[in-house]
Amino acid sequence: MKMKGEGNKMNNPQIKNPKALLFSLCFVLMFSVMNGTMFNIAIPDIAEAFSLLPSEVSWVMTGYIMIYAVGALVYGKLTDTIALKTLITFGLIVFSLGSLIGFIAPNYGFVLMARVIQAIGGSMIPAIAFIAPIRYFPNERGKILGIISSVMAFASGIGPILGGVIGGFLSWQYLFLTSAFIIITLPFLRANLPDEKTKYVKLDYIGGSLVASLIVLSLMGITLGQSWTLFIVMILAILVVFRMKKAKDPFIPPHLFKNSNYVVTLLVSFISVACLFGLMFSVPIMLRDVYELSTLQIGLAMFPGAMSAALIGRKGGQLVDQKGSRMIFLVSLLLLLTGFLVVSTTVGTHPVIFSLSLVFPMMCFPLVQSSGADLLAGILSQKETGVGMGVFNLLNFVSGALSGALVGKVLDIYRPDYPLNPLGVIDSGAVYSNVFIVFMVLILVGFIVFKFFHHSPLQTKTESP
């Protein structure tokens, strides 16, 4: 394994105004994340506007997630060869064009087209948001990744509130118009991103197409419950592995997965993010089901957790730089485990108490994201950073789709009378309490796997987390 930061030594181009660049990156990332969460609120209104069945309107989110996941990996690969200024210009223009099409969409077909175009452009944003700190802020990498992750967590929490306000006072079309305002960040990003040379290399288009097909069909099977895709997914997985081994310059280098630290970090990050996304998916449903809260009230109930994530992000990132990403990653897993236990215990109590309990797990979002990303940055070499972080972003989106689909199925068929948590409240919220206990167990498994299978040459066997 490389020493932390060894693989990222490079002649970093000079940034004219680092603070302005960071602010612009955070602003554009916030719009991107909110674009996803705002439309969760609008789905019932879109279905009513075009007389759609739930299975039909679900493509507003499903189609977006599939294209976004593929794009996150593709852009990650492209960041190794194409200047970030060029990629971000293309991405923001395409995203804004999709937003304008959605605002004036005369029918559902145009709405879907708008979402696809948004995803094609918007999937560039998380790729660059995680690559830029590694490339341009090597000495403050943990701190900057912490800020980036806290913005993502805050936007995830504030998105439903903003979506509810805009959709309630105006209409769902104005969600598209709000997203289009992301274009105002482009001049600031172009002014502060350094000029870099584009290295034209031959891409593995066959390998990229196979990977994209594998992702799309996997997400279709997960989000829509299409079991017939399983057989095709297995065949595509075999072809992807074969292509990775045989291609001269494969789309995803196979040696990435020979590094046990890289694989373990990806796996535990996948588990952690899946549990966090599962929390954010199930809590709004629980607040409506158990407490009968309105859309705006649900957003307000989740707001303290979102604010805690925003406030803890910067400090957590500084701790990553000071204490090391491995230490903070382990500590964040322990905190997240405790947070799920607290949330499981408070389901069915007064809504204010439950709202405050969400602070404990949600504040771990930026800690897990920033320390995990920093760990990967320390493992990857300069030429592997783009595709390596692209795989990281890809798995984040797949984990979100997987956890949402599985939690949805559980809520459909499982209605226990008693919670598994002996401290839990016995009422209609037992199923939600049990879901959070399962998340706690998964985080415990992740902690054990990371503790004993992730190794650092800087640490001894007797070192505690």
Side-chain angles (χ1 to χ4, degrees), residues 37-258:
T37 56
M38 285 192 306
F39 277 90
N40 286 333
I41 301 296
I43 283 179
D45 294 333
I46 295 174
E48 182 180 350
F50 299 108
S51 301
L52 301 172
L53 297 173
S55 59
E56 295 172 323
V57 76
S58 67
W59 279 99
V60 170
M61 295 306 301
T62 302
Y64 184 84
I65 290 173
M66 288 193 299
I67 302 299
Y68 206 91
V70 173
L73 178 58
V74 172
Y75 280 114
K77 177 73 174 180
L78 293 177
T79 58
D80 289 330
T81 59
I82 300 177
L84 296 194
K85 182 181 288 190
T86 301
L87 288 177
I88 207 162
T89 300
F90 171 81
L92 290 185
I93 290 174
V94 171
F95 181 87
S96 299
L97 177 62
S99 300
L100 293 176
I101 291 174
F103 179 63
I104 61 174
N107 54 53
Y108 185 53
F110 271 84
V111 172
L112 287 183
M113 181 176 69
R115 290 292 280 168
V116 168
I117 295 173
Q118 276 190 327
I120 291 172
S123 55
M124 163 276 308
I125 296 169
I128 291 180
F130 279 97
I131 294 296
I134 297 171
R135 184 174 297 182
Y136 305 135
F137 302 90
N139 298 325
E140 298 180 294
R141 191 172 65 199
K143 172 184 173 182
I144 304 302
L145 286 171
I147 294 173
I148 293 291
S149 299
S150 67
V151 169
M152 291 182 65
F154 176 73
S156 297
I158 202 68
I161 300 177
L162 186 60
V165 171
I166 294 174
F169 288 96
L170 297 171
S171 68
W172 60 266
Q173 290 97 328
Y174 283 88
L175 297 180
F176 279 107
L177 187 61
T178 301
S179 298
F181 281 111
I182 199 172
I183 195 67
I184 66 177
T185 62
L186 183 56
F188 300 99
L189 287 166
R190 285 190 60 85
N192 291 289
L193 280 169
D195 294 317
E196 299 169 296
K197 293 182 179 179
T198 295
K199 303 174 184 177
Y200 293 99
V201 297
K202 186 177 180 180
L203 294 177
D204 179 18
Y205 294 105
I206 296 176
S209 300
L210 289 172
V211 171
S213 301
L214 175 64
I215 296 168
V216 168
L217 283 173
S218 298
L219 287 174
M220 282 183 62
I222 291 169
T223 57
L224 301 180
Q226 300 292 332
S227 57
W228 61 268
T229 62
L230 179 61
F231 178 71
I232 302 177
V233 165
M234 292 174 62
I235 294 176
L236 284 171
I238 294 172
L239 291 175
V240 166
V241 173
F242 180 80
R243 182 68 184 179
M244 286 169 60
K245 291 183 176 180
K246 297 298 181 181
K248 183 179 179 181
D249 186 19
F251 190 77
I252 301 178
H255 66 265
L256 279 179
F257 303 102
K258 294 179 180 179

Side-chain angles (χ1 to χ4, degrees), residues 379-400:
I379 294 170
L380 298 167
S381 66
Q382 177 189 335
K383 64 180 181 180
E384 297 169 339
T385 301
V387 67
M389 296 304 295
V391 173
F392 172 71
N393 283 318
L394 165 67
L395 290 180
N396 281 346
F397 296 116
V398 173
S399 68

